[in-house]
Amino acid sequence: MLKLQSVMTYYGRIMALRGISLHVDPGEIVAIVGPNGAGKTTALNTISGVLAPKSGRIVFDGKDVAGKPTDSLVDMGLVQVPEGRQLFAGMSVYENLMLGAYRRSSADKKTRLRDDLDRIYQIFPILKERQKQSAGTLSGGEQQMLAIGRALMARPRMLLLDEPSMGLAPLVVKEIFKVIADLRKERKTTVLVVEQNVKAALTVAKRAYVLETGRVVMEGASSELSKNPEIQRAYLGKGYKHMVE
Amino acid sequence: MEQFNQLLVTGISNGCIYAIVAIGFSIIYAGTQVINFAQGEFVMIGAMVAAALLAKVSLLVAFPVAILAGCLVGAILGLCVLVPLKRAAVVSLVIMTVGASILIRGLAQLFWGEEGKNVPYFTGVSVNEDHTFHIAGAIVGAQQIWVVGITILLVIATHCFFKYTLTGRAMRACALNPTGARLVGINVHKMIILSFVMAAGLGSIAGVTVAAGIYARCTMGAALGLKGFCAAVLGGLGSYGGGIVAGILLGVVEALIVLVIPSMSDYRDAVAFVILLLVLLLKPEGILSRKKAVA
Ligand SMILES: Nc1ncnc2c1ncn2[C@@H]1O[C@H](COP(=O)(O)OP(=O)(O)OP(=O)(O)O)[C@@H](O)[C@H]1O
Ligand SMILES: [Mg+2]
């Protein structure tokens, strides 16, 4: 579904991605983990067309999409839920969701928009309760739900999620990750998720890549990675064994 | 009392024009943080194009063509601002709009000359005589009713556009969070051009309306642009509602000031700037806004 080959991205003269390769198969949930400043957000932004890679190939659905503008990638069904959510804070929950469907053709919208909205309200009932409220007044968890809901309104076939658990209480994290797992099951939505919460990420994802200073330093099945002593020490902490039920 | 009412009528109809110009300032500011000092020239283009055309065709043709001409100038200016938008500081862009306004005015003077052009009243008895009505002891010209009516229509239309249409929402989204807007697939550059086109369209409508019954001149834009700017700042830049209220208030205060200080009648135009300076000193975020707001 998605394949990156030796992708390099720069900020001016600073190299943030030093040639990363990864792939995500259709219907798969894959995680990218790594320390602050590793280049995780840069990787997602390069895939979604916010940044243009200096070299390398990005293939989505069999087409080379490196350097393509974000709007055409949204049209192809690749939608990003960004770091920091990037909601439209002065607008209502409803308006935020409607803008998620911005790129959908008007014919498609008329017939299915209402249904899609209802389905998002089913997934996140709290958003329905708050639909007239300004997005800026929502709690952190509700904002993350809205960011995901907004992306879902575009009917994505693949979601890029950037640190969905950031700043959220453990229960809310659990809920969000359950939604991600359900999306894969029910809609076959492919997911590439960036996480600092490695434990949660490895639970939901089948495979993962470890990114450090712009390079993929490790990759493999989540079950293997979570047993890896290096990963346990660096990302899962001492209490890890203790926390696993 | 009658004099008060008469001045109030004048004040409100002048203020409406300031209000429309102020909306234009706010639309562009919200999308780009740029204060477009060429806003007044949109007013002039509307008035001049209509005046030139009215020599040959009726108002029903001249008015829409004048609006289109204004929109075209707006689109060109939008493109010019867009090219350096990412690299240049906002201040440079603002100065660029000052340059653009001088250029537009200069070109208009080359093309149309210095002479004022007569624009007839929309529904007058003759070119130089308007229909009048007596309301509460004041004489109200039909053109003043047109001004107020058109302003009300434009305010409602603008409000509905930003509130209920997808494109309007997308423009607000770009102003609130350009990154988020881009990620849902909104072409932010297109929206910026559109904001210039809208501001120019509104400005040229104001231009045709205000010029009717008086002369349209190539130099008329500067003063109206600055008054509109005062209104936009007083209302809190980026806040449409604030700008509208401030525009009308400004027109009314300007008209009524002669009741308080009769000798001010020759310096009426200074009123706006004195108020603006005081506000900028005491409450720089505008009198009518609690915070920087959009729509
Ligand atoms: N706009 C920018 N300009 C210059 N350098 C940047 C910019 N954004 C990120 N960087 C640099 O690129 C590198 C990768 O940043 P990136 O945001 O992708 O990291 P990350 O893995 O997402 O980190 P975090 O976990 O903190 O979100 C960092 O060294 C960062 O300082
Ligand atoms: Mg990041």
Side-chain angles (χ1 to χ4, degrees):
Chain A
M1 184 118 196
L2 177 75
K3 198 174 170 77
L4 274 69
Q5 273 173 359
S6 330
V7 172
M8 293 197 192
T9 303
Y10 285 71
Y11 290 105
R13 296 167 75 181
I14 305 163
M15 200 193 323
L17 293 185
R18 298 161 182 266
I20 65 165
S21 301
L22 57 82
H23 71 274
V24 184
D25 292 331
E28 216 183 8
I29 299 182
V30 173
I32 299 179
V33 300
N36 289 109
K40 306 182 296 295
T41 298
T42 307
L44 289 196
N45 281 343
T46 306
I47 297 168
S48 68
V50 172
L51 298 169
K54 190 138 214 165
S55 64
R57 273 163 62 81
I58 303 174
V59 179
F60 178 67
D61 252 2
K63 291 190 195 80
D64 194 338
V65 296
K68 270 206 173 185
T70 308
D71 47 9
S72 60
L73 286 163
V74 172
D75 289 346
M76 291 174 72
L78 181 69
V79 181
Q80 185 177 6
V81 180
E83 187 172 59
R85 289 126 203 180
Q86 310 293 353
L87 297 171
F88 308 119
M91 298 170 88
S92 70
V93 166
Y94 171 80
E95 286 178 310
N96 270 272
L97 290 172
M98 283 323 222
L99 281 164
Y102 180 75
R103 290 297 299 185
R104 285 169 53 186
S105 68
S106 44
D108 166 44
K109 261 182 213 157
K110 269 201 190 93
T111 49
R112 299 196 300 186
L113 206 55
R114 197 64 238 178
D115 294 347
D116 287 0
L117 193 65
D118 286 341
R119 254 157 84 202
I120 283 160
Y121 286 154
Q122 252 171 40
I123 301 175
F124 302 116
I126 191 78
L127 293 184
K128 185 168 192 179
E129 262 172 58
R130 304 247 188 274
Q131 59 179 325
K132 293 215 173 86
Q133 213 167 304
S134 160
T137 65
L138 299 181
S139 74
E142 289 162 357
Q143 290 196 9
Q144 190 59 56
M145 293 174 196
L146 179 55
I148 295 173
R150 183 178 70 180
L152 291 178
M153 285 301 283
R155 287 192 160 246
R157 287 179 305 117
M158 176 162 186
L159 272 180
L160 306 173
L161 294 157
D162 199 341
E163 306 214 20
S165 78
M166 175 110 84
L168 304 185
L171 262 180
V172 186
V173 174
K174 214 169 168 186
E175 192 181 337
I176 299 245
F177 276 91
K178 182 176 179 312
V179 167
I180 296 169
D182 288 348
L183 281 173
R184 189 193 73 86
K185 256 184 251 150
E186 285 157 25
R187 300 197 195 178
K188 302 193 171 53
T189 310
T190 311
V191 177
L192 179 59
V193 57
V194 159
E195 258 305 338
Q196 296 246 12
N197 184 338
V198 176
K199 184 190 165 223
L202 293 184
T203 313
V204 73
K206 197 177 100 198
R207 293 187 300 116
Y209 293 85
V210 182
L211 212 62
E212 271 171 30
T213 56
R215 279 201 186 87
V216 174
V217 294
M218 222 186 283
E219 61 178 284
S222 299
S223 50
E224 298 295 317
L225 285 175
S226 51
K227 278 185 226 140
N228 183 306
E230 242 175 279
I231 300 273
Q232 286 191 355
R233 187 177 42 78
Y235 299 110
L236 298 171
K238 266 192 191 164
Y240 173 60
K241 279 260 152 60
H242 206 67
M243 280 157 68
V244 180
E245 290 108 308
Chain B
M1 196 59 207
E2 275 178 21
Q3 194 199 359
F4 178 87
N5 286 354
Q6 188 65 58
L7 290 171
L8 196 62
V9 168
T10 312
I12 289 174
S13 72
N14 287 343
C16 282
I17 298 294
Y18 307 157
I20 302 177
V21 180
I23 298 176
F25 272 104
S26 282
I27 290 177
I28 290 178
Y29 180 81
T32 58
Q33 313 290 298
V34 169
I35 296 164
N36 169 33
F37 279 107
Q39 187 65 29
E41 305 316 318
F42 297 151
V43 180
M44 180 273 289
I45 291 285
M48 289 305 291
V49 170
L53 287 172
L54 278 167
K56 297 187 189 76
V57 296
S58 78
L59 185 69
L60 281 177
V61 180
F63 203 158
V65 176
I67 298 170
L68 285 180
C71 290
L72 183 69
V73 174
I76 294 170
L77 182 62
L79 278 170
C80 294
V81 169
L82 200 58
V83 175
L85 186 63
K86 266 200 193 142
R87 283 175 286 120
V90 167
V91 183
S92 329
L93 295 171
V94 173
I95 292 169
M96 203 174 115
T97 68
V98 174
S101 87
I102 296 169
L103 180 70
I104 295 169
R105 194 181 318 148
L107 288 174
Q109 279 168 329
L110 266 182
F111 195 70
W112 285 305
E114 302 282 342
E115 291 268 299
K117 285 188 195 298
N118 212 327
V119 178
Y121 290 109
F122 285 6
T123 50
V125 181
S126 70
V127 173
N128 295 311
E129 194 190 347
D130 203 0
H131 270 295
T132 51
F133 306 88
H134 292 265
I135 300 170
I139 300 165
V140 181
Q143 192 62 36
Q144 288 174 316
I145 295 175
W146 276 111
V147 169
V148 175
I150 286 174
T151 305
I152 292 172
L153 266 180
L154 289 179
V155 168
I156 293 173
T158 310
H159 175 79
C160 291
F161 172 75
F162 282 114
K163 188 103 187 152
Y164 301 114
T165 72
L166 186 63
T167 309
R169 282 180 182 149
M171 280 176 80
R172 276 162 66 211
C174 288
L176 288 166
N177 189 332
T179 312
R182 192 167 170 191
L183 287 170
V184 298
I186 297 169
N187 185 328
V188 178
H189 288 181
K190 246 193 225 163
M191 293 299 141
I192 288 174
I193 304 270
L194 188 58
S195 68
F196 274 87
V197 170
M198 275 186 71
L202 287 169
S204 42
I205 293 173
V208 182
T209 315
V210 76
I214 54 166
Y215 287 104
R217 283 179 203 284
C218 292
T219 48
M220 68 188 284
L224 282 169
L226 280 172
K227 299 275 182 69
F229 170 67
C230 290
V233 173
L234 293 176
L237 263 172
S239 147
Y240 304 114
I244 293 161
V245 176
I248 293 170
L249 270 179
L250 182 61
V252 169
V253 170
E254 223 179 44
L256 292 181
I257 197 94
V258 294
L259 288 180
V260 190
I261 319 166
S263 60
M264 275 300 282
S265 62
D266 290 341
Y267 305 102
R268 252 188 28 182
D269 286 348
V271 172
F273 303 108
V274 173
I275 298 176
L276 179 67
L277 282 177
L278 286 177
V279 169
L280 286 178
L281 281 172
L282 302 174
K283 200 164 180 297
E285 69 275 25
I287 33 171
L288 295 164
S289 83
R290 249 165 265 130
K291 54 179 188 309
K292 237 172 45 182
V294 175

